[in-house]
Amino acid sequence: MTTRPIGLISAIAEETAMLRGRLNAGAAETHAGVRFQPGRLDGVEAVLVETGIGKVNAALVATVLVERFGVGAYLFTGVAGGLDPNLGVGDVVIAERLIQHDYGAIVGGRLEPYRPGALPFGARRAPLAFTPPEPLLEEARAALADLALPEMPAAATGAAPRKPQLRFGTVLTGDQFLACEETRARLFAEHGALAIEMEGAAVAQVAEAYGRPWLVVRAISDLAGRESARDFTAFTAAAAAGAAAVVTRLLPALAR
Ligand code: ADE
């Protein structure tokens, strides 16, 4: 067991709500205007924090977590827009690969993505994606094998009964909220990604720089199309409950 706490991160309050209620909280600290809440969750030392939205906020918080709290691993939990047409609101995605889809070069009116930090022209040698350690993903698969995700309200499934799915795959991160079917289809075709969000790969980049393992768990709150802002508002709290159920199972694997 590591004696170092886990950085338990979300972007917004709706995403931490389920976990906050269960945290045996210690003394909170504020750094850079952000409230960091140390405590124990199911007996595991953690620091719970909301980053605010976007990659810079996420990177700032991930850096403070390791520099001021000495976290040994990161677990990001929250919601995302679905890119894969087979996904529905309430499904949960675990990132096997995280790509910052908005870093790169604009050529001929289109963005050619590069790995963050790489010179964005010439041969693309460095891998685009950040990846968690394979043994950790294996443990996550085993820990989640028999998990039944909470059912979503009828409004989220178009009133059709639907058993929420748990999927492992590629997740995109960028500083845009996606509300466009055309772009959704293009990003799905280009990256084969399951979901899109605004913080995960920034945390992964910081985690990699400090040599810390990480996992990103995202429940689908909307389908990244014209209705996405409305769906996000309506379904984030219910979807985040699914992500929290997954986090509960993953904490012991990360605490090792
Ligand atoms: N997080 C939740 N929904 C999202 C969307 N449609 N685009 C980007 N991030 C999101």
Side-chain angles (χ1 to χ4, degrees):
M1 271 309 241
T2 176
T3 50
R4 292 190 289 208
I6 294 174
L8 198 46
I9 317 176
S10 298
I12 57 174
E14 288 88 329
E15 296 170 325
T16 47
M18 302 283 296
L19 300 173
R20 194 174 289 285
R22 287 173 32 215
L23 189 79
N24 190 350
E29 294 178 28
T30 299
H31 301 284
V34 179
R35 188 179 152 91
F36 293 78
Q37 178 62 70
R40 288 177 82 80
L41 189 69
D42 302 337
V44 175
E45 292 286 345
V47 182
L48 190 67
V49 56
E50 287 145 28
T51 61
I53 295 170
K55 292 187 299 178
V56 174
N57 282 332
L60 168 69
V61 162
T63 305
V64 173
L65 277 169
V66 71
E67 290 285 354
R68 305 290 295 236
F69 296 91
V71 297
Y74 297 94
L75 182 50
F76 195 108
T77 173
V79 296
L83 293 178
D84 182 334
N86 290 317
L87 287 176
V89 170
D91 292 350
V92 175
V93 172
I94 317 270
E96 286 177 331
R97 305 172 74 239
L98 266 174
I99 294 173
Q100 292 182 26
H101 69 93
D102 57 352
Y103 179 92
I106 308 271
V107 179
R110 308 217 31 143
L111 183 97
E112 285 181 1
Y114 281 74
R115 185 179 181 83
L119 195 66
F121 52 82
R124 276 185 274 181
R125 291 194 189 86
L128 259 192
F130 295 93
T131 51
E134 188 51 42
L136 184 57
L137 282 173
E138 276 307 312
E139 274 197 75
R141 283 190 197 95
L144 299 171
D146 62 347
L147 178 71
L149 291 168
E151 301 270 335
M152 291 296 288
T157 60
R162 187 168 192 283
K163 200 168 160 294
Q165 307 170 29
L166 184 67
R167 300 268 304 272
F168 284 75
T170 302
V171 173
L172 303 185
T173 301
D175 280 320
Q176 303 93 29
F177 184 82
L178 184 59
C180 170
E181 272 89 16
E182 208 185 336
T183 308
R184 174 194 171 173
R186 178 177 60 77
L187 289 173
F188 178 61
E190 278 176 13
H191 298 287
L194 301 179
I196 188 163
E197 40 89 311
M198 302 177 72
E199 298 83 19
V203 172
Q205 187 176 351
V206 173
E208 188 178 283
Y210 281 99
R212 299 293 194 271
W214 57 270
L215 287 172
V216 170
V217 178
R218 292 286 191 172
I220 303 300
S221 57
D222 59 84
L223 302 178
R226 220 176 335 235
E227 308 293 328
S228 61
R230 195 201 61 188
D231 288 352
F232 177 92
T233 307
F235 303 135
T236 284
V246 169
V247 163
T248 303
R249 293 269 182 117
L250 293 182
L251 270 180
L254 273 167
R256 225 158 271 148

